[in-house]
Amino acid sequence: MLRLNDAVEKALSEMILTSEQILAIAGRFCLAMREGLAGRESSLKMRPSYLDKPTGQETGTYAAIDFGGTNIRVMRVKLMGGGRYEIERASSFKVFHAEGRQIFAKMASELKKVLVPGEPIALGHVFSFPFQQNQVNQAILLHWTKEIKIPGVEGEDVTRLLKEALEIEGMGYVIPRAVLNDTVGTYLTFAYQEPAAGIASICGTGHNSCCLCLTAGQERIVNLESGNFDPLTQTHYDRLLDEQAETPGQQRLEKMVGGRYLGELFRLMSSDCLDSPWQAYEIRTEDLMGLLDPRARQSFKALKATPEDLVVLGRIARALIKRAACLTAATYLGMLHYMDPTEGRHYAVGIDGSLYQHNALFAEQLNYILRRYSRQVAGIHGVGQGSVLGAAIAAALTMR
Ligand code: BGC
């Protein structure tokens, strides 16, 4: 039977977070928010979104683009008010290896398929990477994340690249109005239906959150870029993954909780104990589900392992998923405390992303920790289609 070696056993025990550790992380997170908002040195970028909270009464038909981690989706969306909407037409394609301009050209041609030719339409664009923004319709990419590397976009304004592509495609009738992070998109979709919305988060390929913050006397939606949160205690395998990643030293929290990385952490740990046939990043986080569910274990990646071995590998998968949920919950506790240190106000938390939507262990653990340590949670909800609908709502908000 497979035996875990001392290094893996050590990492597994380091991954169990005690109550004290969870609360200490929440405290450090809250402090990092304060420092970031005050413009002092912080691992949190704290970017204001230039968008107001929706009322739920926004109406009209809009074009929406969602440039996420793996896929790019385009849509024609009708907002009907009262929190209701209809996706009229949609298309999507996988992010492929090419120059930035080619990706934007493909985005424009896909969009053409879902819109009415010649009909003027306002567009909202969700761009799920860290960017610098001085107005609602501008986003200068600071750097790629989630192991994506598309040349020719870093340091550029993605709205300008999009406008150029639309012009070349003869689509001057599409008017880009807003560019926003996917957490902000999720927040808008959530708040369109839920007045108590306070926090929105993505727990998918990547990880990040936004929340309502009081800045310069005004309540604003602020994108924390919390995937970059640090300091966190890393295990030997976290350090190994970080050293081999595209962006060593950056996105330390995301590398412990993001779907892009959990499968790879699993691979690094299990390869230390067994002759592993896997290539780097070959194990996807979805594959770990097979190890968590006893009925699905045998299907795990055609590995020549006995049922007992799979139980042992299941320990690694469980520990990784549980730690991801505890760390994520700790950051929400930090946000709730920042938003109301008296802890008298209640906020609803909206979450989009495959890890939350499809991994029951992650969702259960996250809910459990949040409810155990905070009395401020008005509800925790999955927000399907969060970012792309948010792009349409953002376009509507700019027409006010
Ligand atoms: C990006 C964020 C994004 C998150 C979720 C991270 O890698 O830096 O901007 O919100 O992924 O997609």
Side-chain angles (χ1 to χ4, degrees), residues 17-85:
L17 299 178
T18 62
S19 303
E20 291 72 31
Q21 284 170 317
I22 291 175
L23 294 174
I25 294 166
R28 287 204 297 275
F29 192 86
C30 181
L31 190 67
M33 287 179 71
R34 210 169 282 146
E35 297 293 294
L37 270 180
R40 290 190 286 266
E41 173 95 25
S42 169
S43 61
L44 299 180
K45 295 190 177 69
M46 306 300 291
R47 304 266 175 211
S49 71
Y50 298 90
L51 288 159
D52 293 330
K53 193 173 170 173
T55 60
Q57 297 312 318
E58 291 72 14
T59 54
T61 302
Y62 302 93
I65 296 179
D66 181 12
F67 193 146
T70 328
N71 296 304
I72 298 182
R73 297 193 300 156
V74 297
M75 284 185 189
R76 185 175 197 267
V77 181
K78 187 170 168 190
L79 301 177
M80 294 178 285
R84 289 170 312 123
Y85 61 83

Side-chain angles (χ1 to χ4, degrees), residues 166-186:
L166 289 170
E167 239 159 68
I168 294 171
E169 196 62 41
M171 296 170 70
Y173 52 90
V174 179
I175 307 131
R177 300 275 310 183
V179 57
L180 56 154
N181 183 256
D182 52 353
T183 57
V184 176
T186 301

Side-chain angles (χ1 to χ4, degrees), residues 45 67-69 126-131 143-147 181-184 201-209 223 225-228 251 254 261 387:
K45 295 190 177 69
F67 193 146
V126 158
F127 188 65
S128 311
F129 302 92
F131 55 74
H143 57 84
W144 291 111
T145 55
K146 300 172 271 206
E147 305 304 296
N181 183 256
D182 52 353
T183 57
V184 176
S201 186
I202 302 285
C203 299
T205 307
H207 173 69
N208 185 16
S209 299
N223 164 19
E225 281 299 333
S226 55
N228 194 48
Q251 301 293 103
E254 182 167 78
Y261 299 103
S387 40

Side-chain angles (χ1 to χ4, degrees), residues 105-380:
K106 172 82 175 153
M107 232 146 84
S109 66
E110 285 300 311
L111 190 62
K112 202 173 200 173
K113 294 184 194 160
V114 302
L115 300 181
V116 178
E119 180 193 71
I121 191 162
L123 173 133
H125 177 190
V126 158
F127 188 65
S128 311
F129 302 92
F131 55 74
Q132 169 76 43
Q133 182 169 45
N134 299 314
Q135 45 161 305
V136 71
N137 206 12
Q138 176 205 48
I140 298 162
L141 174 63
L142 295 172
H143 57 84
W144 291 111
T145 55
K146 300 172 271 206
E147 305 304 296
I148 289 182
K149 269 273 168 248
I150 300 173
V153 191
E154 280 175 345
E156 298 290 331
D157 177 5
V158 296
T159 302
R160 191 178 59 76
L161 295 177
L162 176 64
K163 279 184 177 163
E164 279 172 14
L166 289 170
E167 239 159 68
I168 294 171
E169 196 62 41
M171 296 170 70
Y173 52 90
V174 179
I175 307 131
R177 300 275 310 183
V179 57
L180 56 154
N181 183 256
D182 52 353
T183 57
V184 176
T186 301
Y187 180 85
L188 297 180
T189 303
F190 187 39
Y192 191 59
Q193 294 157 328
E194 164 60 80
I199 295 176
S201 186
I202 302 285
C203 299
T205 307
H207 173 69
N208 185 16
S209 299
C210 75
C211 67
L212 289 180
C213 293
L214 206 58
T215 68
Q218 203 193 335
E219 200 166 54
R220 298 167 91 180
I221 310 163
V222 176
N223 164 19
L224 277 62
E225 281 299 333
S226 55
N228 194 48
F229 177 61
D230 211 25
L232 288 161
T233 310
Q234 292 175 299
T235 68
H236 164 66
Y237 300 97
D238 295 314
R239 282 191 290 274
L240 207 62
L241 180 142
D242 185 35
E243 281 160 17
Q244 295 169 2
E246 285 282 354
T247 51
Q250 287 177 15
Q251 301 293 103
R252 288 247 170 98
L253 174 64
E254 182 167 78
K255 286 172 182 157
M256 294 180 179
V257 307
R260 186 76 180 92
Y261 299 103
L262 290 170
E264 178 62 2
L265 279 174
F266 173 88
R267 187 191 70 86
L268 290 171
M269 290 175 79
S270 49
S271 308
D272 232 3
C273 314
L274 87 173
D275 200 10
S276 142
W278 304 307
Q279 305 286 317
Y281 287 95
E282 189 188 339
I283 306 261
R284 295 164 315 143
T285 300
E286 299 91 277
D287 299 329
L288 301 187
M289 287 295 283
L291 286 172
L292 299 173
D293 178 354
R295 286 159 307 177
R297 262 186 207 136
Q298 282 309 336
S299 67
F300 184 72
K301 279 274 162 186
L303 179 73
K304 276 200 215 100
T306 64
E308 290 79 19
D309 293 348
L310 291 174
V311 173
V312 177
L313 291 174
R315 261 187 76 202
I316 302 180
R318 256 189 111 69
L320 284 165
I321 300 287
K322 278 184 107 166
R323 180 183 67 161
C326 289
L327 287 171
T328 304
T331 69
Y332 298 171
L333 293 172
M335 277 177 250
L336 288 165
H337 187 73
Y338 177 86
M339 290 157 77
D340 182 15
T342 68
E343 302 193 350
R345 287 180 66 181
H346 291 76
Y347 298 98
V349 181
I351 308 173
D352 196 1
S354 49
L355 198 54
Y356 187 77
Q357 309 275 6
H358 305 308
N359 193 309
L361 176 65
F362 179 85
E364 273 163 30
Q365 186 71 14
L366 181 66
N367 277 263
Y368 169 72
I369 300 285
L370 212 49
R371 297 222 183 256
R372 173 158 177 205
Y373 296 107
S374 175
R375 283 170 292 134
Q376 286 172 274
V377 182
I380 308 165

